[in-house]
Amino acid sequence: MSPSPVAAFVAALPKVELHLHLVGSASLDTVLALARRHPGGGVPTDRDELRRFYGFTDFPHFLTVYHRVNRLVTTGADVVTLLDGLAAELALRSVRYAEVQVTPVRNHMAGIGYADLAAALADGRALARERHGVELGWVFDADAALGPAGAEETVDFAVRHRPEGTVGIGLGGPEAGVRRADFAPAFRRAVAAGLHSLPHAGETVGPDEVWAAVTELGAERVGHGIGAAGDPRLLEHLAEHGIALEVCPVSNLRTGAVRDVAEHPLPALVAAGVPVTLATDDPGMFHTDLDAEYLLCHEAFGMGVAELAAIARTGARAAYCPTQLRDSLLAEIDRVEAAHAR
Ligand code: HPA
Ligand code: ZN
């Protein structure tokens, strides 16, 4: 069966992906290989069992599973393997540029030295460009579960090692019971060192923490941010200041952050004029890819070629990529849209 016209358009559309986590991007095959190398690690070594292992009951359960898989990644060579697989998958979906969330303190806890991690990121980035034609940038995210001290250690890594392609500082992990504001000193230091502020906020909690991300952490984009939908004044602020949200619909459904696709706030965010980009978050764990996210917007929200092209443009504009790459992406989006417009 030939793909629908919109599916063909999405496949051809050149895209950026601004929110995906290194460990969560690992394919089933890669995770199985790692699990078989570390059979005591609590991650299934059988494919069907691994699929079931990726059935998340709620967001905290997802984080527990994520940490188990993270502990299988123990060497710089493992990191390069993950980046090679990730770049191959991105190229398959016409993704030309991606910003990858790397959690250095968690990698360090799994046994990778900081200098080895920086070297592996440099090698993986070169390989992504040369073998797959994909440009990568790095967002070094602190895990909120490790508190402000973990965030300071994350900034230390980013500032001391600053691998090529370093874009910003992030904040992931749990949101409930955590205050974004507690991480303000670490973010201030990162921003003073020239890093962009790109925290998660409003994935599983409401608008107050998105406000905190913006006002206390100086967020220039927000990971998820869907909790903003409850606050018209916040939506106005995001729209007015061009603060883009990195929205990951399949992730929200798989973690239970949103119960039903019909309840997903993405259409309301777009209608409010908030810059919305689409991303996969943890594509290996959520069984998704960027084309699937675009197609979900078509199928569930009725978005057509023009609306999907607009989302791709928002991504290109919100990306901290080289200007030349952004300009060529925007020109190519125009061409692909014109070829598929009816
Ligand atoms: N949110 C917070 N922490 C994470 C996520 C996420 O979506 N994915 C991996 N770590
Ligand atoms: Zn995330």
Side-chain angles (χ1 to χ4, degrees):
M1 215 173 70
S2 63
S4 77
V6 173
F9 164 70
V10 167
L13 186 64
K15 294 176 278 291
V16 306
E17 161 131 42
L18 303 181
H19 190 116
L20 80 166
H21 296 260
L22 175 64
V23 168
S25 74
S27 69
L28 286 189
D29 284 336
T30 299
V31 175
L32 285 172
L34 290 171
R36 286 169 189 156
R37 220 182 291 160
H38 305 275
V43 176
T45 53
D46 171 83
R47 176 176 289 271
D48 291 336
E49 267 182 60
L50 182 60
R51 278 225 180 82
R52 281 194 292 279
F53 185 66
Y54 284 164
F56 308 111
T57 52
D58 56 18
F59 186 69
H61 176 229
F62 160 70
L63 290 178
T64 302
V65 169
Y66 191 95
H67 292 147
R68 285 243 202 119
V69 178
N70 180 77
R71 280 200 294 272
L72 302 178
V73 181
T74 58
T75 66
D78 290 344
V79 169
V80 176
T81 299
L82 293 189
L83 290 168
D84 190 15
L86 167 59
E89 176 62 27
L90 292 171
L92 206 60
R93 311 297 166 187
S94 307
V95 177
R96 304 290 157 74
Y97 172 79
E99 288 175 18
V100 182
Q101 307 245 348
V102 177
T103 318
V105 178
R106 286 283 179 194
N107 296 129
H108 191 254
M109 288 164 77
I112 308 180
Y114 283 126
D116 287 351
L117 177 61
L121 295 175
D123 290 351
R125 186 166 180 268
L127 197 149
R129 180 189 292 144
E130 285 152 23
R131 191 178 288 172
H132 305 290
V134 177
E135 195 66 31
L136 298 180
W138 313 119
V139 176
F140 295 113
D141 74 317
D143 183 339
L146 302 174
E152 295 291 352
E153 195 169 327
T154 305
V155 178
D156 288 345
F157 170 80
V159 170
R160 273 189 207 144
H161 293 276
R162 207 160 186 144
E164 247 182 65
T166 295
V167 163
I169 189 84
L171 179 59
E175 288 189 297
V178 178
R179 293 169 56 232
R180 305 281 104 180
D182 291 345
F183 299 86
F187 271 69
R188 264 200 297 277
R189 190 157 67 90
V191 169
L195 301 184
H196 293 288
S197 170
L198 306 167
H200 289 62
E203 179 176 12
T204 57
V205 299
D208 290 357
E209 289 299 312
V210 181
W211 271 122
V214 171
T215 60
E216 307 283 339
L217 306 183
E220 295 163 87
R221 292 194 319 246
V222 175
H224 296 280
I226 53 174
D231 183 339
R233 211 165 55 78
L234 175 56
L235 295 179
E236 216 172 278
H237 184 91
L238 297 172
E240 190 181 322
H241 294 270
I243 299 171
L245 303 184
E246 302 150 5
V247 179
C248 310
V250 173
S251 162
N252 300 147
L253 295 168
R254 298 264 195 264
T255 64
V258 174
R259 257 177 312 170
D260 189 285
V261 71
E263 293 170 16
H264 199 286
L266 187 147
L269 298 169
V270 171
V274 175
V276 166
T277 73
L278 274 174
T280 58
D281 209 7
D282 300 287
M285 295 182 175
F286 298 140
H287 196 56
T288 186
D289 61 62
L290 196 54
D291 284 358
E293 305 285 343
Y294 274 77
L295 284 173
L296 178 144
C297 288
H298 170 60
E299 283 154 16
F301 309 138
M303 292 185 176
V305 165
E307 288 99 332
L308 298 176
I311 287 192
R313 280 188 196 96
T314 300
R317 292 190 185 111
Y320 293 107
C321 63
T323 309
Q324 217 183 348
L325 175 55
R326 185 198 333 282
D327 291 346
S328 77
L329 269 166
L330 289 168
E332 209 188 326
I333 291 167
D334 288 350
R335 276 199 300 278
V336 172
E337 184 187 7
H340 289 81
R342 25 177 74 231

